[in-house]
Amino acid sequence: MEEKLWKDHCGLLNTNEENELEMLGYKTQGWRRVLCIAGYILSCGALLLLFYWKPEWDVWANCIRCSLEEADVVLLRTTDEFQRYTRKKVTWIDLSTLALPVGSNSRGPLVGDKDSVINRALMKPQLKMRCIQVQKIRYVWDCSVKEFKKVGSLEDNNTCQSIHHKFGAGLTREEQKIRQLVCGPNAIEVEITPVWKLLFKEILDPFYVFQAFTLTLWLSQGYIEYSVAIIILSVASVGLTVYDLRQQSMKLHDLVEEHNKVQVTVCTKSEGYKELESRYLVPGDLFLLDGKKLTLPCDAVLVDGSCIVDEGMLTGESIPVTKTPLPLTESPMPWKTHSMEDCRRHVLFCGTEVIQTKPTGSRPVRAVVLQTGFNTAKGDLVRSILYPKPVNLKLYRDVLKFIIGLCLIGVFGLIYTVCVYVSHKKPVADMVPMALLLLTAAVPPAIPAALTTATIYAQRRLKKKKVFCMSPQRINICGQINLVCFDKTGTLTEDGLDLWGIIPSEGSRFQKIHKFPSSTPLPWGPLCGAMATCHSLVVLDKKIQGDPLDLKMFEGTHWEVEDSSTAQDGAGALNICIVRPGPKASSTPVEGIAILHQFPFSSGLQRMSVVSQKIGEEHYDLYMKGAPETVSSFCRQDTVPDNFLKELKMYTSQGFRVIALAHKVLNLGKDVDVSKLEREEAESELAFLGLLVMENRLKQETKPVLRELAAARIRSVMVTGDNLQTAVTVARNAGMIHTGSRVILVEANEPEGSAPASITWRLAEDSKANTAAPHEVCANTEEKITLEGETCNYHFAMNGKTYQVIIKHCYSLLPKILMNATVFARMSPGQKSSLIEEFQKLDYYVGMCGDGANDCGALKMAHAGISLSEQEASVASPFTSQIPNIQCVPELIREGRAALVASFGVVKYLTLYSLTQFVGTALLFWQLQIFGNYQYLLQDIVITLLVCLTMSLTEAYPKLAPYRPPGQLVSPPLLLSVILNVCFTIIMQTCGFLLVKQQPWYIPLASQRHCSLENQTMPPTIPGENGTSSSAQSMVLSYEDTTLWPLSSINCIIVAFVFSKGKPFRKPIYTNHLFSVVLVLQLATCLFLFFADIDAVYSGMQLLCTPVIWRVYILLMLLVNFCVSLVTEDVILQNKHLWLLIKAWIGYQSKSRYRKWQKTLQRDPNWPPLNVKDFAAKSTDEIYINPTYEYSDED
């Protein structure tokens, strides 16, 4: 029973998606609500503030647990490591006000699509449905399966036929109104957040609330100057933050607003076509694409005609893409499954621009609305900006631990103060403010501002280097990066491809190569026909546009594209593309070729085909181009040369990009609609035509950057959609794979019949022509390949198919392979994201650098994604470089390391400053005394505030060190640094405090002692003033205070210098001119005030005159402290070799999973396997299985 109650109480939202959430149902209870309201009033709003910080406590206090079906409040919890809670109120959608279709009150469906969630969510006879809205997406309660389901999309289980049948004629007017009410408007609305909301959200941060309490206490104690300074700084900080957030909100609003009001022509049953504003579109609507340029206001599936769109907003590449209609087939499979990875070719995405439409026969180009509003591709992009993935940076968690630790010290100080004042029998009115003062003294109020300045300075330096940052918090993470994945084309290599040559094939033999550029044009033949027609080029604004590869290939023929023309065939008028030989082309017997139909390229299929017809002839031709291995599999084997693989390897091993071409004559007859051709039927029994060889040069910055990363012990991995052999060669040429290192090709095959999945391991140098047959185990398999620390002399290389098989059937092998995998070829966008995630599971800090084309998912998944594209898609990437090469990667890592070290330095400094002040104040409290206001003011503003603002200005060191800075604040070197320096401070201040009492000139109450006889004594106490002025002076003026103040003040300057570590992550301290000048001026000011012997200065600072020799002793104590502190910090705590020896001596084992795997593989005599074939079922017993591959943040 209890188990059933719990099952009904909780559920999952967005199951198995990136934004998966756990749902818990609650019902508001009246008496609990009344008690909470009373609590709000009695606590003066403190309880309300606590519930604002902790929404789960609010729900637990106001509500009782119940099933999700009965709940009026839902508590959402993220299923990641952050476990963040959100409270959502369940609302009702009332459909009873609408003029509903006949029969809606009975058992009949409310909307025509029987499978729609709207029918299952409706409660009859009330005609209401329950809903919640989470991160701009609406969910309704599905009564049949008892869970919340997303609305705003067509159901995924629709088949190709059902989409045509249900929505091919449009929706009824009544159904449109129902869907509009349930799904909401088709608009990506980003409200410009009001300033007051942003302001409240900022000032209600726990630290600002604590700061407000501290400032109230200080103001009540008359510590006005520093309090006002902190208030001004906080107001400036909050003001700047609110201004930035407001500007971002306005930019995002402007970016999406213009696309919310597009006029579209919608087809409604019985009413026909009608102009409508796009915000009224609903899933299932049928709308017209009339040939005008249009920015799509929704995601839609094309059902009639074809069109050309610019998907630059999504992919980052402004290359026209051809979209084809969804086939009208009777397959029972859902339409996405039927089209497999190629379903995108039928989908028009929101935000992309329709450039050109091509009707099929007399029917116009039409599309069915698939998704609206924030459910669309563009909506998803905007949501990723509005609700970014939380940054799991140890620094901020460790800072919180530090603050909690300091609060505990403050509580100890409070207890100590109470004990001292009680023992002196002082009134409670005196004791309480002093106790609270010591409590707040332990926690420095400037920590958040100081951490922000370190990041802002790094962001500003990156901006000067043309690297722009969307998520400043991630800059610190960049300091931890130890593995970078690179896309190949456009990232490591030049964007453009140059046509190098073509190798024709005739009679199953390769012919003499035709090189480009050439004085003689390419002779006419099927090969020339393939190059002239097998592309997706279009003429836009009298300019040929399209994929750079297609463009180079077409230019090599010297043919020309004629603008869209109309030819007549049995199906009626058809919008087609015609190519004709140009003046420089070779003589040809044909007037031109009409490209009638296109089977577009997709990264999943790795090929494209066109159906064409020579002008004046009856028969049709099919031309195919694509990956050589793919194209050859569609050809008749008698047309493929025997040395095909050898020839292919010869060119790919030299780094060339190789494309294969094939041809087939189609005998279709006269009255055939070529757009109805089945792709599988048409693309069979082709004749192999030859290989197109293209040159893809490395960018000149690639090699030096990869060399620099390797020297810094940062792994480089290539993730590309190109051929495996080409990728391996480019990796060798770029220096990813060093000379002398071996490449082990990993090939995996799906299970066949009773045979399990198999993995073949072979050296790339020994690959035979027939890749299907694994090598026999030969003599050199006993040759040992060993790991050398983090580097190795072997590298694994594999393609996307192998990666997928390993993930599916041999997952426990994956970590071992990833430890030394360097090249991943033929990877789809989804596989790229998956690979990044798998590296992260091994505790690598992963950077991803790509040109944005197919890398958006991977860029978002990585700890630091760097896009080299300026397209709209790059807004989802945390970093964007305006300089299109990989130089930005080491720059970002350098700045990340500098920012991380600066942040640690600032936190350490502020901790030391607060504890130095705490110790000094605690010692004075022993005799019921305190530092003077101006003494505090000099320490707080003149020293600490200026140090915090200038300390982080030190620039990054130009050379990357071969190790990373510490990744966490709570680590032995950093903790020891703070603890030892606190100990030195305590010893020094305690010695000063005790030694001054031993001096012959010391008197306990020295309030009338001055340096010259002219000084007047303090005025007598006036009874009417309750002795306030006099007692304030007696609480400050003492030899102990005069001794402790310079010790604590100058010690703050000493630790600022000691903690400003330069090399290896930052430039030396003297290069930070402003900080150096500030330290010198601060030291000079302190020494002047201490040695001035000017009564006005002493009186103002509330100091007493002491013998010069005592002042010299104080300086000597400070000098000793400086030397000890500097030696401890630089010689011991920052000594990398010493720590390595200590780790080895105590047998320290790294918690990082990749370190553990390195050690495991070093001890494994059978790793790596060479020239053998393993089977999944057999190998699972032999390999190291780690079933709990959850992401961990342990280092």
Side-chain angles (χ1 to χ4, degrees), residues 734-746:
M736 272 187 183
I737 298 170
H738 302 292
T739 313
S741 295
R742 303 217 180 181
V743 176
I744 300 171
L745 298 180
V746 185

Side-chain angles (χ1 to χ4, degrees), residues 57 85 195 221 423 427 438 564 581 692 733 760 787 833 873 913 1157:
W57 293 4
Y85 284 92
V195 173
Q221 292 301 301
S423 67
L438 198 58
S564 297
L692 189 71
N733 294 342
T760 308
L787 287 158
S833 301
Y913 141 75
W1157 278 111

Side-chain angles (χ1 to χ4, degrees), residues 688-707:
F688 186 77
L689 293 178
L691 298 172
L692 189 71
V693 183
M694 308 193 91
E695 195 173 18
N696 194 198
R697 296 188 185 92
L698 279 177
K699 289 181 180 177
Q700 62 179 28
E701 301 84 6
T702 298
K703 270 181 123 170
V705 167
L706 293 177
R707 202 180 299 124

Side-chain angles (χ1 to χ4, degrees), residues 200-246:
F200 265 93
K201 196 174 178 183
E202 198 65 25
I203 62 175
L204 291 179
D205 182 89
F207 205 88
Y208 280 117
V209 172
F210 179 77
Q211 197 178 69
F213 166 73
T214 305
L215 291 170
T216 306
L217 181 69
W218 289 347
L219 285 167
S220 70
Q221 292 301 301
Y223 191 31
I224 294 163
E225 294 85 350
Y226 180 56
S227 301
V228 168
I230 290 291
I231 289 168
I232 291 168
L233 269 170
S234 298
V235 166
S237 173
V238 168
L240 282 169
T241 307
V242 167
Y243 175 77
D244 281 347
L245 290 170
R246 174 86 172 174

